[in-house]
Amino acid sequence: MSDYPELRGKRAVVTGASTGIGEAAARALAAQGVHVAVVAGTRLADAERIASDLRVRAPDSFATRADVTSPDDVRRLFSEIRERFSRIDILVNNAGGLGGAPRRQFLDLPVEEWDRVIDLNLTSVFLCCREVLPSMKEQGFGRVINTSSEVARSPVLPIAAHYTAGKTAVSVFTAYLAREVAAYEITVTAFAPSTTLTAGLKTRFTAEALEAIRTQIPLGRLAEPEDQANVVVLLASDAARALSGTTVDVTGGKITI
Amino acid sequence: MACYSDLKGHSAIVTGADSRIGDAVVRELEAQKMWVTAVPAELPTEEATLSASALADKVRDHLTDVDTVSRTCSQVVGKYGGIDLLVHCAGAQPAVDGPQITDISDERWRGAVVSTMRGAFLWSQGVLRHMVARRRGCVVFIAAEAARNPTYAAGIDYASTRGALTGLARHLAREMGPHGIRVNVVAVADAAAAGVSSLPRLPAYLSWATPPASPAEAARLVAFLASGAAAYITGVCLDAFR
């Protein structure tokens, strides 16, 4: 297992952490001794269970919930986190996805669904960054890590247009913000997962569908959540201190160049 | 000036026609003898120099209202027999005061997300319904230098929402390709979009001091993408900045 001793004792916020890649990222950070605020959208009980596990290695970890698409709730969230953590070193903006929306053809997409998916994937990242950056600037250190997607590099049908637009915007946001805050020893990076074998994915896709996706992956297997989490930990570490503004493809070779 | 004779007599909708880029696009397409419906982002004023062929809809929120988009598209189809081109220029504009993320209010962010992204969604969905039926058409989104190579502090709301359009274009290029429809992007120089010679730079970032590409130069790329000369080009972003 990788060891990044410089991460020990740092404090991280991970949104969308009650399941999937977010959960794996929270667990991987805590395994390095990073105390984690495990932020759930709705599944607070799952977040509580995860935080309880994390406290074995990272005793200040705790669970909370927030609607990260709401400016007021994000302000409340960070005020709550600051009562528990003296500082925030790492922000992982992982909340996102389709929010339960079905995959639809573009012409069948209702505007309400467009708005909801854009808010979940893009506005949430803006709101959390805007809250955390003043203190990161003041302390002269910060790692912002955004979850993008392979669709930001190459659209995958039938994943929907709003998700592709939102995740592309996350990668652009990452590049822009990285330059805006570069003078403060803050790095802003993103990682772009291809289809990742989360518990949720296994319930939504048939074995045949997953096998069809697998055959498109040069490395010959679908990513596990831990594959993505390993990259989150890398991006949080000093080993990645020269990386900023970039989106790292974690696609088993599916996306290159 | 390049002339694309196949554009003559075809119809185009240009949103955000009252922006610097939008105005240049309208002029270019009219020079190519297209029938242009210029849809301004704001209510036309006395000073506004809108196209003579404009069907300017006098509703302030029309750029992001489902019914108005649908009605405007139907009007254009009724008048010209179809919609051959949509150029979506409307949306967030570059800031000239070098804002940082903490300067972006909730309202300003919301405005960018709605006008740039929801606007692009609604207008492209509106025209594509007609284009799919005719099995032809072309969409061009206007993105930004800030979304391709952020050099100037034009605003993260402007950069990221304009950047979203490159992803939307790539998606639509794939989904609409089988219907004979092409979807592309022109990324315009931030200073040209703002109508200034230069903008505040992002901190600690060095760049060559080159004059910004003009709105007219960006508009010429729009005409190229709309023409048959670009028949095999879809899902790309042409960078109209130096």
Side-chain angles (χ1 to χ4, degrees):
Chain A
M1 185 189 131
S2 317
D3 186 24
Y4 301 93
E6 74 276 15
L7 288 177
R8 218 157 288 147
K10 291 211 179 317
R11 279 157 170 74
V13 177
V14 182
T15 68
S18 62
T19 185
I21 292 171
E23 174 184 353
R27 290 185 184 280
L29 287 167
Q32 300 290 337
V34 177
H35 308 285
V36 180
V38 180
V39 183
T42 51
R43 286 175 283 229
L44 182 58
D46 291 341
E48 299 274 17
R49 178 178 48 76
I50 294 161
S52 165
D53 292 348
L54 303 195
R55 283 193 283 272
V56 174
R57 295 289 300 275
D60 293 348
S61 299
F62 66 98
T64 184
R65 70 157 299 282
D67 173 3
V68 288
T69 69
S70 155
D72 287 341
D73 213 29
V74 169
R75 280 188 275 270
R76 182 206 54 75
L77 169 71
F78 279 87
S79 149
E80 178 194 340
I81 292 170
R82 289 211 172 79
E83 283 173 17
R84 307 285 293 260
F85 286 171
S86 53
R87 55 186 275 152
I88 299 169
D89 301 291
I90 301 158
L91 167 64
V92 182
N93 285 306
N94 177 68
L98 284 171
R103 286 160 175 74
R104 299 182 201 266
Q105 301 284 311
F106 185 71
L107 294 183
D108 298 330
L109 204 55
V111 66
E112 297 77 17
E113 207 166 285
W114 170 276
D115 286 346
R116 204 162 47 242
V117 170
I118 296 303
D119 279 347
L120 183 58
N121 289 282
L122 176 62
T123 297
S124 62
V125 176
F126 164 72
L127 293 174
C128 292
C129 285
R130 192 180 58 176
E131 282 305 306
V132 85
L133 277 167
S135 65
M136 283 184 174
K137 282 183 180 177
E138 205 176 306
Q139 71 203 19
F141 179 85
R143 295 277 186 267
V144 176
I145 301 161
N146 300 323
T147 303
S148 183
S149 163
E150 64 173 333
V151 300
R153 298 290 304 275
S154 182
V156 179
L157 294 175
I159 293 272
H162 43 12
Y163 183 72
T164 300
K167 286 302 191 187
T168 305
V170 167
S171 284
V172 172
F173 180 101
T174 300
Y176 184 98
L177 187 61
R179 289 184 177 178
E180 186 177 304
V181 300
Y184 300 91
E185 299 292 324
I186 299 167
T187 65
V188 187
T189 53
F191 66 105
S194 55
T195 306
T196 300
L197 271 174
T198 60
L201 185 87
K202 288 175 191 166
T203 63
R204 291 196 306 273
F205 284 70
T206 63
E208 292 74 27
L210 291 176
E211 173 58 16
I213 296 170
R214 188 195 65 76
T215 60
Q216 300 168 7
I217 309 287
L219 287 183
R221 66 176 177 85
L222 292 175
E224 299 288 341
E226 291 71 24
D227 291 314
Q228 308 299 340
N230 287 339
V231 176
V232 173
V233 175
L234 168 78
L235 293 174
S237 78
D238 282 355
R241 66 183 181 184
L243 283 185
S244 198
T246 193
T247 295
V248 179
D249 298 311
V250 191
T251 63
K254 187 176 170 192
I255 304 283
T256 55
I257 305 182
Chain B
M1 190 195 84
C3 175
Y4 302 104
S5 57
D6 56 313
L7 294 180
K8 183 180 176 183
H10 283 198
S11 79
I13 295 176
V14 180
T15 69
D18 47 349
S19 64
R20 285 176 186 81
I21 304 300
D23 179 64
V25 169
V26 169
R27 288 169 197 275
E28 171 69 28
L29 298 180
E30 288 192 329
Q32 300 288 347
K33 301 195 174 357
M34 293 189 83
W35 296 108
V36 181
T37 301
V39 186
E42 298 292 337
L43 281 170
T45 64
E46 293 297 323
E47 300 79 45
T49 53
L50 289 173
S51 151
S53 61
L55 276 177
D57 196 325
K58 299 187 178 188
V59 183
R60 178 169 285 274
D61 296 328
H62 56 182
L63 284 173
T64 55
D65 174 77
V66 180
D67 293 338
T68 314
V69 170
S70 161
R71 192 172 62 246
T72 306
C73 291
S74 297
Q75 282 176 331
V76 173
V77 169
K79 186 164 180 179
Y80 301 114
I83 306 165
D84 297 292
L85 170 66
L86 167 71
V87 187
H88 183 68
C89 306
Q93 299 297 317
V96 295
D97 57 345
Q100 298 188 7
I101 188 171
T102 42
D103 299 322
I104 311 290
S105 66
D106 294 344
E107 294 70 29
R108 177 168 163 174
W109 177 266
R110 173 66 35 206
V113 165
V114 169
S115 63
T116 316
M117 295 173 67
R118 188 202 288 168
F121 163 66
L122 286 178
W123 280 96
S124 52
Q125 196 181 53
V127 301
L128 285 167
R129 288 190 203 288
H130 297 281
M131 289 176 175
V132 164
R134 293 171 85 208
R135 295 196 58 78
R136 72 171 209 231
C138 181
V139 174
V140 179
F141 295 127
I142 298 299
E145 179 181 9
R148 303 282 292 173
N149 181 31
T151 302
Y152 302 102
I156 199 164
D157 54 334
Y158 169 71
S160 42
T161 58
R162 290 281 174 189
L165 304 186
T166 61
L168 180 59
R170 276 197 301 265
H171 175 95
L172 289 177
R174 293 202 179 180
E175 190 172 337
M176 294 298 157
H179 298 287
I181 296 161
R182 296 182 298 107
V183 185
N184 291 293
V185 179
V186 173
V188 301
D190 298 334
V196 295
S197 58
S198 186
L199 289 166
R201 288 188 189 283
L202 284 164
Y205 184 70
L206 299 175
S207 174
W208 289 288
T210 51
S214 72
E217 287 172 288
R220 281 199 281 279
L221 292 176
V222 171
F224 165 73
L225 288 171
S227 76
Y232 203 62
I233 298 178
T234 190
V236 310
C237 178
L238 299 184
D239 290 326
F241 54 86
R242 300 183 180 95

